[in-house]
Amino acid sequence: MGKTVLTGKHFWYGNIAIAEGAIAAGCRFFAGYPITPASEIAEHISRRFPQIGGIFVQFEDELASMAAILGASWTGVKSMTSTSGPGFSLMQENIGLGAMMEVPTVIVNTQRGGPSTGLPTLTGQGDVMQAKWGSHGQYEIIALSPDSPQEAFDLTIRCFNLAEKYRVPVILLASETIAHSAGKVVVPPEDEIELVYRKKPKVPPEEYLPYRPDEDLVPPMACAGEGYTITTTGLTHNEKGYPDTTAEAQEKLARRLNDKIRKHRKDIVDVKEENMEDAKIAVVSYGQVSRPAKRAVKMAREEGIKAGSIKLITIWPFAEHVIHKWAKQVEYFIVPELNYGQIYLEVKREADGNAQTILIPRMGGTLFTPREIYQEIKKVNKK
Amino acid sequence: MSKQISKEEKLEELHPMDKWLRSERMPHIWCPGCGIGPTLYAWARALDRVGIDKDKVVYVSGIGCSGRGSGYLNVDGFHTTHGRAIPFAIGIKLAKPELCVNVISGDGDLFSIGGNHFIHACRRNDDLLVICINNFIYGMTGGQLAPTTPRGQYATTAPYGNIEHPFNTPHVADASGAVYVARWTSIHVRRLEKSIAEALTMKGFRYIEVLSPCPVNYGRRNKLPEPDDIAEWFRQSSVVRNGADTSEVQIEKDKPLILGNFVKRVEKLTYYEGLKKLEERVRGAR
């Protein structure tokens, strides 16, 4: 047997860190389809899984890959797929099914420039809103965004933990920049990695209702072949899992699917704040943009400008309470994004007129330089 | 304790299928004359005949009338998205190989929107039993053209008659590498049951097409309006030809319906078996 957790210091590309993070999280089923710039994740897993007894399948497309990871998760196995924009679009169908059936699973999207085939080899952050509501209907999902290979490793593990805890598909919103940047990754000893597993039923099969939630709004999950005779459907269903296509059932189910995430926002949301104590200008960033943003804030501080940085590690659910809080202190939020304003609008909404929100847009392809963000801070500071 | 008559006095089993049915979900949504019921009856009887533990049986379906079956049978049931029953089922089977995983879905689900998954699962030889309940039409959505509608027949989206060439689904399965290929109809319940039982004892991608009446949305528009008209067509036109060349079993209007167990391959490794061999090789080499 090969080693499952590669404890030690490594110099890894982001994609390798993601694959190793998944293995360390206990993922033993991977289904995917080749796509730039995500393919190295599948390649690495196809090499590693036979060593450690995981199931790897390269499917005919992303539709199948997404369906297969849901099926695998229904046996109690932790499952994952990885893709980029065009494949992510195809996966939306069964991401919706995963939300509806409440299936713990992880989807990695190493974003590239879009729309459509766009920039296969270059970076972007255009899939932020798609990650939230790319599938039809009203649902809530979890998405995390890493800014380095180390964070890619760490957050992949957290994606699995959140998926298991809340019975929901979780998206790692990475990007080409992270996928293809190499950096130091420290893998802790196996027993120091905290892993979460889905709740199992505490009652015998005859008393078990597959969609009766506990107080935390998450139902315990019996899996296939465990004697619980479960039934599940993408149709609106009742606590037995039987189709119930009425307005009443819809109100109850769809509301709970949203509330189980919304009501745990503070548990799920993770942000990193720096230099915020006396800040009047806050740069709100996520993913790879956090790195030039952090540097830009440092440059501004050296000039005596009261700038701070809020890095969103959790993208969805949105860090409403964080922005709301700082909006009372800061005068400006500056949001640099590799799109034409997606998180910007969320920040603006939560600032609610208490602070001005300024977008630094870029359509993707390259990352901001620290100076570009710094200049915007300076410009705002003069106002 | 004083003597009380229990309200939950044990009920006698009333129907031989009670074990397999979620009786509390009856009545079902299917129309009079529909062939889905008899097909599921044959499947459940075959499971009994082979003696498969009910708790190990998984039923995965897609969307459409037959998609609803997974919620009526008293086994682990997964009613998935349109066309994706096969890959969903592959995920279950590979992750828990001791389960008996069955996909039972419609012709539109398996051969139109799910066609790509079907041929690739045949090619990889994923270990599934796939039963296609072929009623030549999109029943649930109101009688639109299917990839199996015979030429010249009518559908709500082919009001002047079908100009397309339908799939010969056993030939698709055979050409794509399925290890077991058969075709029966929902009126040939005993032969169908035997065929399913045979397939259940095999490994790999096993495919059985079951021709099934849809009096409401196929029959009415094609001069077969009464609930038993299509069944009568099956009865009169069926010719059993086991081992027939699948390229010669295309369904055509006014031609015999060729039924039978067409293909049986035994040597082909399943995807899972291949993976296990690969694992041994990789670990041995280390």
Side-chain angles (χ1 to χ4, degrees):
Chain A
M1 285 286 269
K3 277 177 74 176
T4 48
V5 178
L6 303 179
T7 303
K9 282 181 198 165
H10 303 274
F11 189 65
W12 277 341
Y13 283 108
N15 276 346
I16 307 303
I18 290 167
E20 287 297 338
I23 290 167
C27 173
R28 293 295 180 270
F29 187 96
F30 182 98
Y33 185 80
I35 190 165
T36 304
S39 295
E40 295 88 353
I41 300 172
E43 288 168 1
H44 190 75
I45 289 201
S46 74
R47 198 156 53 79
R48 285 278 278 136
F49 266 15
Q51 302 170 0
I52 61 168
I55 302 283
F56 170 87
V57 193
Q58 180 177 316
F59 269 94
E60 54 273 14
D61 55 31
E62 290 88 349
L63 304 163
S65 304
M66 190 60 220
I69 64 170
L70 297 183
S73 181
W74 271 112
T75 70
V77 172
K78 291 184 182 178
S79 64
M80 179 174 96
T81 186
S82 63
T83 189
S84 188
F88 194 53
S89 292
L90 293 179
M91 287 177 183
Q92 295 305 324
E93 165 191 67
N94 280 318
I95 289 174
L97 183 67
M100 191 60 145
M101 285 183 167
E102 301 182 67
V103 190
T105 195
V106 174
I107 301 110
V108 178
N109 176 4
T110 59
Q111 295 170 94
R112 63 195 221 187
S116 191
T117 314
L119 300 172
T121 61
L122 298 175
T123 198
Q125 287 182 319
D127 308 348
V128 173
M129 292 310 297
Q130 188 189 19
K132 181 178 174 66
W133 276 334
S135 201
H136 53 276
Q138 173 84 49
Y139 65 101
E140 286 278 350
I141 211 157
I142 297 172
L144 311 180
S145 190
D147 74 354
S148 64
Q150 179 70 59
E151 223 176 58
F153 178 86
D154 297 340
L155 293 189
T156 301
I157 296 173
R158 186 155 194 257
C159 282
F160 278 97
N161 287 347
L162 289 168
E164 293 285 318
K165 185 170 183 182
Y166 294 109
R167 278 191 69 174
V168 69
V170 176
I171 294 157
L172 184 76
L173 213 45
S175 70
E176 189 278 334
T177 320
I178 303 305
H180 294 155
S181 297
K184 187 169 103 175
V185 179
V186 179
V187 177
E190 192 168 350
D191 56 6
E192 286 174 23
I193 298 172
E194 194 203 330
L195 298 183
V196 176
Y197 297 89
R198 64 196 71 174
K199 289 185 289 188
K200 304 301 289 181
K202 291 194 181 78
V203 294
E206 56 277 14
E207 289 169 36
Y208 176 64
L209 295 176
Y211 288 99
R212 173 172 287 177
D214 289 340
E215 247 175 56
D216 64 357
L217 303 179
V218 181
M221 187 173 183
C223 288
E226 293 179 349
Y228 280 83
T229 322
I230 46 176
T231 180
T232 180
T233 173
L235 284 165
T236 297
H237 44 269
N238 60 23
E239 290 186 345
K240 288 181 173 175
Y242 294 168
D244 184 350
T245 49
T246 60
E248 293 76 19
Q250 170 72 6
E251 191 66 30
K252 197 173 166 190
L253 174 65
R255 195 181 276 260
R256 179 177 64 76
L257 294 179
N258 286 276
D259 283 346
K260 77 172 176 181
I261 304 301
R262 290 187 184 186
K263 291 193 171 164
H264 294 101
R265 190 186 304 273
K266 284 184 181 165
D267 175 50
I268 301 165
V269 166
D270 190 11
V271 300
K272 196 169 177 196
E273 297 161 353
E274 281 182 356
N275 296 305
M276 284 302 296
E277 309 73 37
D278 59 345
K280 292 291 163 198
I281 300 166
V283 180
V284 182
S285 63
Y286 55 95
Q288 69 270 33
V289 175
S290 302
R291 299 176 75 167
K294 189 175 161 184
R295 177 78 191 162
V297 167
K298 195 172 169 228
M299 289 159 75
R301 280 279 166 180
E302 281 162 8
E303 299 274 314
I305 300 169
K306 287 182 176 172
S309 150
I310 301 170
K311 177 177 112 171
L312 306 173
I313 296 169
T314 306
I315 305 298
W316 305 119
F318 187 65
E320 290 176 0
H321 53 288
V322 176
I323 299 301
H324 200 77
K325 180 183 88 178
W326 291 114
K328 290 171 189 153
Q329 177 187 311
V330 305
E331 286 163 20
Y332 296 97
F333 289 114
I334 296 176
V335 187
E337 295 188 88
L338 298 181
N339 57 47
Y340 215 168
Q342 296 193 19
I343 284 296
Y344 157 72
L345 288 170
E346 295 292 309
V347 175
K348 191 174 176 183
R349 184 165 60 83
E350 288 311 317
D352 201 16
N354 288 316
Q356 277 195 53
T357 309
I358 291 154
L359 170 69
I360 314 180
R362 173 164 296 178
M363 297 309 118
T366 58
L367 197 46
F368 298 102
T369 61
R371 183 153 295 276
E372 285 167 324
I373 300 170
Y374 162 72
Q375 276 163 351
E376 196 64 34
I377 297 172
K378 239 179 133 176
K379 208 161 88 188
V380 164
N381 190 49
K382 279 187 194 147
K383 280 184 185 171
Chain B
M1 232 175 103
S2 61
K3 197 187 170 221
Q4 264 187 330
I5 297 167
S6 166
K7 278 183 187 168
E8 291 172 19
E9 216 172 320
K10 198 170 180 292
L11 288 170
E12 295 283 321
E13 284 199 346
L14 298 173
H15 188 278
M17 286 294 107
D18 277 354
K19 169 188 165 192
W20 294 103
L21 275 182
R22 292 180 187 269
S23 306
E24 61 172 333
R25 291 219 53 215
M26 300 297 120
H28 54 67
I29 63 161
W30 299 315
C31 309
C34 176
I36 297 172
T39 304
L40 297 183
Y41 173 76
W43 176 65
R45 297 238 328 175
L47 290 165
D48 266 337
R49 180 195 276 243
V50 178
I52 295 172
D53 177 2
K54 195 176 77 66
D55 286 343
K56 299 294 171 202
V57 177
V58 174
Y59 178 166
V60 186
S61 63
I63 296 295
C65 296
S66 51
R68 291 300 196 97
S70 61
Y72 293 135
L73 274 285
N74 198 21
V75 296
D76 287 333
F78 297 89
H79 181 213
T80 68
T81 38
H82 200 12
R84 316 297 168 227
I86 286 177
F88 194 102
I90 292 169
I92 295 176
K93 179 66 185 178
L94 285 173
K96 204 163 189 177
E98 67 267 31
L99 299 179
C100 168
V101 181
N102 303 261
V103 171
I104 307 177
S105 222
D107 46 309
D109 191 73
L110 289 167
F111 285 95
S112 188
I113 192 165
N116 199 34
H117 310 309
F118 184 91
I119 58 172
H120 284 277
C122 288
R123 175 181 64 76
R124 275 190 305 264
N125 200 21
D126 287 303
D127 194 8
L128 301 175
L129 170 60
V130 176
I131 296 174
C132 173
I133 302 178
N134 177 6
N135 60 5
F136 315 108
I137 206 81
Y138 282 82
M140 184 168 269
T141 45
Q144 295 82 11
L145 187 72
T148 47
T149 309
R151 274 175 75 80
Q153 297 296 85
Y154 295 89
T156 52
T157 49
Y160 306 110
N162 176 23
I163 56 169
E164 292 190 17
H165 305 274
F167 266 142
N168 170 1
T169 81
H171 190 45
V172 173
D174 184 11
S176 306
V179 298
Y180 185 87
V181 181
R183 173 195 282 153
W184 296 99
T185 83
S186 62
I187 68 162
H188 294 79
V189 184
R190 281 169 49 227
R191 281 160 159 156
L192 174 61
E193 179 196 321
K194 264 180 90 172
S195 174
I196 296 173
E198 184 180 26
L200 282 169
T201 60
M202 292 173 62
K203 277 186 298 187
F205 193 95
R206 295 142 286 157
Y207 174 63
I208 300 172
E209 179 183 50
V210 184
L211 306 181
S212 166
C214 178
V216 173
N217 274 321
Y218 183 72
R220 270 196 307 159
R221 293 184 186 88
N222 289 288
K223 298 186 182 131
L224 300 160
E226 297 302 323
D228 60 350
D229 282 352
I230 297 174
E232 190 56 25
W233 165 42
F234 290 169
R235 199 182 65 76
Q236 287 181 9
S237 306
S238 292
V239 177
V240 176
R241 204 176 290 159
N242 290 320
D245 182 338
T246 57
S247 68
E248 293 166 5
V249 304
Q250 177 76 54
I251 292 169
E252 288 170 79
K253 201 180 149 191
D254 306 324
K255 291 258 178 78
L257 297 169
I258 314 293
L259 313 180
N261 302 322
F262 301 137
V263 176
K264 199 171 174 182
R265 296 186 174 98
V266 285
E267 296 299 325
K268 193 175 173 182
L269 278 189
T270 67
Y271 182 83
Y272 184 75
E273 288 169 334
L275 200 61
K276 288 290 127 181
K277 277 186 186 271
L278 178 148
E279 263 180 25
E280 277 173 31
R281 186 154 52 79
V282 169
R283 289 178 193 179
R286 289 172 65 82

